[in-house]
Amino acid sequence: MNLDDIQTIAIAGIGQMGTACAVAFRRAGYRVLLWGRNAEKLAAVQPTLQQMDQWCDQNSDDPVVSGGRIDCQDDVAILDREADVVLDCVVEVMDDKVDVLQKFSSAARRDVLFLSATSALSVTEMAARAKVTELLVGAHFWNPPHLIPVVEMVRGTDTPESKVQLACDLMQRIGKIPIVCKDVPGFVGNRLLHAMWREALHMIDEQVCSPADIDRITRLTFALRLPLLGPIENMDYVGLDATERLQRFMAPRLCSQTTPARCLTEKTRSGDLGVKSGKGFYDWSERDIDQVIRKRDQQVVQQLKWLKEMGEL
């Protein structure tokens, strides 16, 4: 199979990732078969797809390729029979992902491309357990996947180069920037993100400052530079000799816990789970999460437009 043979994308999963990926592929001109286990929830996802599409029409300058459409299906056999690409977007649990991938036996026999939108799980283990060892490539879309340009393409231990290249070509066809990485836990982005989260939670445990102040310092200092100066670029700018001196002082003093922070465990056990329960480190009963997400998406779009104008994209 080559890139031009791909016409139909089968997406398993109708959560945030599955629905947004469906919109991204449709807008790139592909036929999308979107599958969910629950027929009732599958029917209810239509307004979400339409709203997301309309939002992109109003806010994004990315061109839309004609001919794309999304067909919602509750019969996985139809996806198995017609898919040119299978994309797993189900819950981030290894057993669930393996179970879904195993439903695509016909697609596997036809040697189609399998993708998993896992954000941290082992692609090598998933492929071996689902018996798609030479077909599966990790495709870690970042939320919101219809807007964030980079997709981490994860090469399993036995993934052939031809499948990795085909997956990268497909990502470029839908306007994404594919970056190939090794199959390590968390890949690249989530390793960086969780290293920062671990230190932030440790500082809460140590009462260095309030959770809100940690967010303010992050958003209004180094985060403002990150679109143009990544961490490695910034080290070069600061000077590697100065960076090494700081590392000698800082590294032994940074959090190195291998278990979750005390404050996180306490919040979880008390049922304060964040937005889903109405309260976490913040009281979300006093904040409109939909408005926060709208602002986030608008900021992403404006930042991407600015980066394009600066010649950085």
Side-chain angles (χ1 to χ4, degrees):
M1 176 180 288
N2 60 48
L3 184 61
D4 291 332
D5 294 327
I6 296 174
Q7 304 293 326
T8 300
I9 313 294
I11 298 179
I14 53 175
Q16 291 181 3
M17 196 61 64
T19 52
C21 284
V23 170
F25 277 103
R26 187 209 71 77
R27 294 177 71 85
Y30 288 98
R31 176 195 180 209
V32 178
L33 299 177
L34 182 61
W35 174 80
R37 289 188 178 92
N38 187 305
E40 217 171 275
K41 289 182 179 178
L42 187 63
V45 85
Q46 285 288 0
T48 301
L49 295 169
Q50 292 168 2
Q51 290 165 11
M52 198 176 298
D53 225 355
Q54 289 169 359
W55 193 95
C56 290
D57 287 338
Q58 295 165 4
N59 294 277
S60 176
D61 292 335
D62 292 338
V64 179
V65 179
S66 63
R69 72 180 193 271
I70 300 173
D71 298 331
C72 292
Q73 297 284 346
D74 60 4
D75 184 357
V76 73
I78 295 174
L79 278 74
D80 185 27
R81 184 173 64 245
E82 300 187 17
D84 299 317
V85 173
V86 173
L87 171 58
D88 142 54
C89 290
V90 299
V91 65
E92 191 76 344
V93 175
M94 179 65 79
D95 288 347
D96 287 21
K97 288 184 174 295
V98 169
D99 177 65
V100 163
L101 292 174
Q102 287 177 331
K103 296 180 186 298
F104 291 88
S105 55
S106 172
R109 286 193 298 273
R110 290 185 286 111
D111 197 37
V112 309
L113 174 64
F114 279 67
L115 301 172
S116 175
T118 178
S119 60
L121 299 177
S122 169
V123 171
T124 302
E125 178 187 346
M126 192 185 305
R129 288 181 54 184
K131 296 182 173 52
V132 289
T133 301
E134 297 187 354
L135 304 176
L136 182 66
V137 179
H140 178 210
F141 291 84
W142 284 78
N143 205 9
H146 56 302
L147 300 180
I148 301 294
V150 166
V151 181
E152 291 175 292
M153 310 306 297
V154 187
R155 184 201 307 273
T157 302
D158 300 310
T159 309
E161 177 59 32
S162 60
K163 288 297 183 186
V164 175
Q165 188 58 55
L166 179 60
C168 289
D169 291 344
L170 179 61
M171 292 302 108
Q172 290 177 325
R173 181 67 64 87
I174 67 170
K176 301 300 182 184
I177 301 170
I179 294 180
V180 179
C181 66
K182 289 173 62 175
D183 185 14
V184 296
F187 317 134
V188 177
N190 266 323
R191 290 177 79 93
L192 294 169
L193 180 62
H194 279 266
M196 182 174 67
W197 282 0
R198 179 169 67 175
E199 192 62 38
L201 291 165
H202 177 68
M203 287 191 287
I204 293 172
D205 277 347
E206 295 297 310
Q207 298 182 329
V208 173
C209 65
S210 70
D213 282 341
I214 290 173
D215 281 343
R216 287 190 191 98
I217 290 167
T218 303
R219 288 190 291 107
L220 301 177
T221 58
F222 61 84
L224 292 174
R225 303 187 306 229
L226 284 173
L228 276 179
L229 278 176
I232 309 304
E233 290 173 314
N234 200 49
M235 277 188 259
D236 270 356
Y237 174 70
V238 169
L240 298 184
D241 53 340
T243 302
E244 186 193 27
R245 285 195 301 273
L246 285 167
Q247 284 270 296
R248 287 185 185 279
F249 173 73
M250 291 287 295
R253 294 165 173 83
L254 295 173
C255 180
S256 58
Q257 290 176 201
T258 57
T259 55
R262 183 176 66 252
C263 61
L264 182 61
T265 299
E266 288 173 352
K267 289 284 186 186
T268 301
R269 287 177 178 170
S270 67
D272 293 335
L273 306 179
V275 172
K276 66 172 72 175
S277 68
K279 186 179 180 183
F281 289 107
Y282 291 89
D283 185 349
W284 287 94
S285 67
E286 300 176 358
R287 303 178 71 185
D288 184 347
I289 186 58
D290 291 333
Q291 184 181 52
V292 172
I293 295 301
R294 284 195 296 272
K295 287 181 178 179
R296 178 204 66 181
D297 291 353
Q298 289 168 352
Q299 181 266 334
V300 169
V301 167
Q302 291 303 314
Q303 191 163 284
L304 289 173
K305 287 179 180 177
W306 184 82
L307 287 169
K308 288 176 182 177
E309 289 172 4
M310 295 294 104
E312 297 295 326
L313 276 179

